[in-house]
């Protein structure tokens, strides 16, 4: 599958669609999810054009992979939900049809600020 340059996160990265930004650096952009599932619901996306985690792990550079992982930790510390300065959170990346992925640009959901409950609902 080819990366769709018109997906909503590509538009956010290009500044064509606004977002409520939390953090940005060379490798990642983080912003609040438009329909939060818990008190805190942030998204972290790589700046490169990757459809999902499998695409990223196959094609991203070491620097991009490191940048995304570091970016996630930076954001969770900034939001005071990390295991270092808060009570924890759940990181989720939905992949493909069975994973329920809606936006075809790799993203991690960081959900916390309260107990997020069971990992998977029936
Ligand atoms: P997923 O199902 O994993 O692909 O999650 C996509 C998420 O993206 C979903 O929780 C809602 C969020 N989302 C969709 N469109 C927008 C948008 O325009 N702005 C923001 N901030 N979030 C969006």
């Amino acid at each position: 599958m080819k990366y769709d340059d018109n997906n909503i996160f590509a538009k956010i990265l290009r500044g064509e669609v606004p977002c409520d930004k939390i953090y940005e650096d060379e490798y990642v952009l983080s912003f609040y999810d438009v329909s939060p599932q818990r008190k805190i619901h942030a998204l972290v996306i790589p700046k490169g054009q990757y459809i999902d985690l499998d695409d990223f792990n196959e094609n991203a550079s070491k620097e991009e992979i490191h940048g995304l992982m570091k970016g996630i930790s930076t954001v969770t510390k900034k939001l005071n939900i990390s295991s270092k300065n808060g009570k924890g959170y759940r990181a989720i990346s939905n992949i493909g049809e069975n994973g329920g992925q809606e936006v075809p640009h790799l993203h991690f959901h960081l959900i916390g600020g309260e107990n997020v409950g069971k990992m998977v609902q029936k």
Side-chain angles (χ1 to χ4, degrees):
M1 197 168 93
K2 195 176 167 296
Y3 180 83
D4 170 15
D5 208 19
N6 278 319
N7 76 74
I8 191 74
F9 292 170
K11 289 180 181 173
I12 287 174
L13 278 171
R14 289 196 295 268
E16 294 166 10
V17 169
C19 71
D20 189 0
K21 194 195 289 189
I22 300 166
Y23 175 75
E24 181 173 15
D25 64 23
E26 187 184 347
Y27 296 106
V28 300
L29 176 67
S30 175
F31 48 92
Y32 288 102
D33 194 290
V34 77
S35 56
Q37 301 299 308
R38 292 292 186 278
K39 275 186 186 161
I40 294 177
H41 187 164
L43 298 169
V44 181
I45 69 175
K47 287 200 167 170
Q49 297 189 332
Y50 299 103
I51 299 168
D52 59 25
L53 193 59
D54 293 334
D55 183 25
F56 186 71
N57 287 337
E58 269 183 32
N59 298 306
S61 67
K62 282 188 178 135
E63 289 77 16
E64 287 175 305
I65 293 171
H66 185 252
L68 177 58
M69 292 300 115
K70 282 289 189 193
I72 289 170
S73 288
T74 301
V75 170
T76 61
K77 278 187 215 140
K78 208 168 154 79
L79 296 174
N80 297 309
I81 59 173
S82 83
S83 56
K84 303 281 178 208
N85 69 357
K87 289 189 167 180
Y89 62 96
R90 182 165 299 146
I92 301 169
S93 188
N94 296 321
I95 297 153
E97 191 182 337
N98 278 4
Q101 182 177 5
E102 289 166 8
V103 179
H105 180 111
L106 170 61
H107 51 283
F108 277 88
H109 298 258
L110 307 177
I111 301 170
E114 62 185 319
N115 192 311
V116 299
K118 283 194 190 303
M119 190 167 75
V120 179
Q121 290 181 348
K122 277 207 163 184

